[in-house]
Amino acid sequence: MSTSHASTREAERLNALHRLDLIHAPRDPVLDRATGLAARLLDMPVSLVTLVDASRQWFKAGVGVELLGTPRAHSFCAHAIEADEVMVVPDLVADDRFADNPFVAQPPHVRFYAGAPIRTIDGYSLGTLCVMSREPQPDFGVEQTQTLVDLAALVSGWVRMRESAGYLDAATGIFTRQRLLETLGTALRRSPTAGDSHASLLGVVDVAMPRQMHDLIQVLGYQHTERFIAECIERLADALGHAHPIYRIGLFRFGVLLREQPDERTRDYLYRLMKTLRQPFDSEIGILLAPDTVMGVTRIDAGDEADIDAAEILRRASAAADDAWESDCCWCYYEPAGEARRQRRVRLLTDLRGALEAGDELYLEYQPKVDVARGDCVGVEALLRWQHPVLGFVSPAELIDAAERTALMRPLTDWVLDTALAQNAAWRRRGLTLPVAVNLSAHDIADEAIVERVDAHLRRHALPGDSLEVEFTESTLIDDLDAAVPRLEQLHAIGVTTAIDDFGTGYCNLAYLQKLNAGKIKIDRRFVQTLDRDERGQVLTRAIVRLAHDLDYRIVAEGVENQATLRLLLDWGCEQAQGYLFARPLTADALHDWVRSSEPVALS
């Protein structure tokens, strides 16, 4: 065997040893029994299961020895792992390889050694089952050798079992979540020592964002997506170094163990690592891909928390990974302060159904829409509110985020439609006829029955279609524009007006503006609120208004707060506006009183 081939084979053997993580695993009764049987059946005072690392030999089980290991340079087993079957040395003193070995030339003066390799599924020798004696054994024959080989085969079977059942992912061949939990459990049980070089950080890596993985599966199918994941694993292994095991804990989520360094060095390392993993690469599936890789990181040691366990460590790192992709960061440390936010989210998810049934937690407020030229109220927007009995006020964005994570988006939308239209009917009975606008989510637009649902609510309250306007953001339609367009046309057919909300902050795809044929465009408040002092914003907003008018859209400006902004909008031909210059969101009764008592808003 050439030197280069031998070196490669040894590197592969060490990779296999480290991937299995046997060195720091807790004592196992199977290994204890194997060494006990070897000592009894072969009548030997010393029997060991050893693992041979790059520079050290580790004793994982044994009879007659109290040491935990020896330097590899003094190891008999380092020679035995290179043998095809078993290495028997009847008298170590007579063998030139071992005559000067300190364990031979000095106490305990070992004279006999026999060791059979312990092999993985791929045939790598990780160590041996060996026996030793202080007396030469010239009569150690075929029967004794076969006994040692048979017992070593049992230990190899135990190793292979750990490689396979429950420990290796069938699709990728890397370790599973269960194996990671065992490894973390071992790390938590190990007492830290000065200069400890063991892994002290757990990283959870998403090789791609959930959205990116969804698109890959839709376009490529699961087989090619698994190929992409395998390539990401290879890149991750190359970036970490192949001595670091990788554990699959989800479809595109993986665990890795890292050694903590001083803060700045750790941060620099993580930034370099994520930069490497985010580099575009030519995938074997024929596509140039740039994975949106993120990582969450947490410490492994228990600190002062006596009840922490492996599952909690993994949960924390996973939560940090979620924080990373939600905050658009490449990596995040686990922050205990984030627990309150996560617990609040869980509380909202579990309490929303009760809020729908309670009748006194959810409510609507209404913000007037004003005709820019005349200054009078021409409609209202219904704004959803949630006053949680424990958590207090819940913002609309947080409320909708909670609803879209459950099966409650549809009943929530139905509640809003029913409540807003019931109020519209009540205003009409009092002589106030104003269309009310309701926001629809992406979940609503995707529902094939949305038009029938809207029509049923209108009929229930005996209202014409033009008493309702539905608003939707750009991003709610972009996923399936061809399916959304006919639904909007059906809404128009029953008299309902449609409006594109928050325009200018989403995809801004001009092609869909031409296809949608909605009635209105609502310019997002982030443009409008600074118009009076932002010349670039004025240029952009004026261009949006001109483009929208050319496509026969009417314009509604959100967030109007001063007369200077209102004058600009009037000069550009903007039809409607809403904002604090006119009124804040109001209760139903306050809105009625405001409309009846307010004077048209005139330019000063």
Side-chain angles (χ1 to χ4, degrees), residues 192-350:
T193 58
D196 189 355
S197 63
H198 298 305
S200 56
L201 296 176
L202 171 65
V204 165
V205 181
D206 286 342
V207 297
M209 296 285 198
R211 181 72 204 185
Q212 188 178 34
M213 289 305 304
H214 175 269
D215 291 344
L216 281 172
I217 292 170
Q218 292 291 326
V219 174
L220 303 174
Y222 281 99
Q223 182 176 357
H224 286 305
T225 302
E226 284 288 346
R227 178 61 249 169
F228 162 73
I229 290 172
E231 290 176 313
C232 288
I233 294 171
E234 293 170 6
R235 299 177 83 229
L236 181 57
D238 288 340
L240 291 169
H242 287 272
H244 290 266
I246 300 174
Y247 305 82
R248 189 170 191 177
I249 56 180
L251 174 61
F252 50 89
R253 176 164 283 189
F254 300 87
V256 295
L257 300 175
L258 307 167
R259 282 191 291 274
E260 189 170 28
Q261 306 174 58
D263 284 348
E264 289 306 315
R265 291 180 58 189
T266 296
R267 292 176 184 276
D268 289 345
Y269 170 73
L270 291 174
Y271 277 120
R272 290 196 306 272
L273 174 63
M274 300 313 296
K275 182 178 180 180
T276 298
L277 295 176
R278 287 187 167 201
Q279 288 295 319
F281 70 98
D282 288 313
S283 171
E284 291 182 14
I285 60 179
I287 300 176
L288 180 66
L289 294 170
D292 295 325
T293 308
V294 298
M295 176 186 281
V297 181
T298 193
R299 290 185 60 84
I300 293 175
D301 58 49
D304 296 328
E305 301 177 70
D307 60 344
I308 198 169
D309 59 12
E312 174 62 14
I313 293 291
L314 179 55
R315 187 196 68 79
R316 291 182 177 187
S318 298
D322 291 341
D323 287 345
W325 63 258
E326 287 183 359
S327 60
D328 199 26
C329 297
C330 61
W331 66 272
C332 283
Y333 263 123
Y334 169 78
E335 295 291 345
E339 283 300 302
R341 179 175 55 82
R342 280 181 282 272
Q343 291 174 6
R344 178 182 173 91
R345 176 183 291 174
V346 172
R347 182 68 179 268
L348 294 177
L349 293 176
T350 56

Side-chain angles (χ1 to χ4, degrees), residues 1 15 34 80 227 236 276-277 290 318 348 362 372 399 406 420 467 482 503 532 539 546 566-567 572:
M1 184 183 296
N15 286 338
R227 178 61 249 169
L236 181 57
T276 298
L277 295 176
S318 298
L348 294 177
L362 297 174
V372 172
L399 195 166
T406 70
S467 63
D482 291 335
F503 186 81
D532 59 321
V539 172
R546 185 181 300 117
L566 183 62
R567 181 175 295 280
W572 298 336

Side-chain angles (χ1 to χ4, degrees), residues 67 78 105 113 121 145 155 159 175 181 240 242 254 271 274 286 295 306 330 371 387 389 393 440 450 500 574 587 601:
L67 296 174
Y113 171 89
I121 293 173
T145 300
V155 176
V159 169
F175 288 131
L181 290 173
L240 291 169
H242 287 272
F254 300 87
Y271 277 120
M274 300 313 296
M295 176 186 281
C330 61
D371 184 287
Q387 187 66 33
F393 179 75
L440 296 186
I450 184 61
I500 303 172
C574 180
T587 65
V601 178

Side-chain angles (χ1 to χ4, degrees), residues 126-195:
L126 304 183
T128 71
L129 173 64
C130 65
V131 291
M132 288 178 279
S133 172
R134 293 183 182 181
E135 301 296 332
Q137 302 291 329
D139 298 327
F140 195 87
V142 174
E143 184 176 347
Q144 292 95 327
T145 300
Q146 188 59 51
T147 298
L148 186 62
V149 169
D150 291 342
L151 291 173
L154 293 176
V155 176
S156 295
W158 175 85
V159 169
R160 293 170 185 179
M161 178 196 70
R162 289 178 64 88
E163 282 187 281
S164 55
Y167 290 101
L168 290 182
D169 176 60
T172 61
I174 65 173
F175 288 131
T176 59
R177 175 191 183 94
Q178 180 60 34
R179 184 56 184 279
L180 175 58
L181 290 173
E182 289 193 10
T183 302
L184 290 172
T186 299
L188 289 171
R189 289 190 295 271
R190 184 175 58 240
S191 298
T193 58

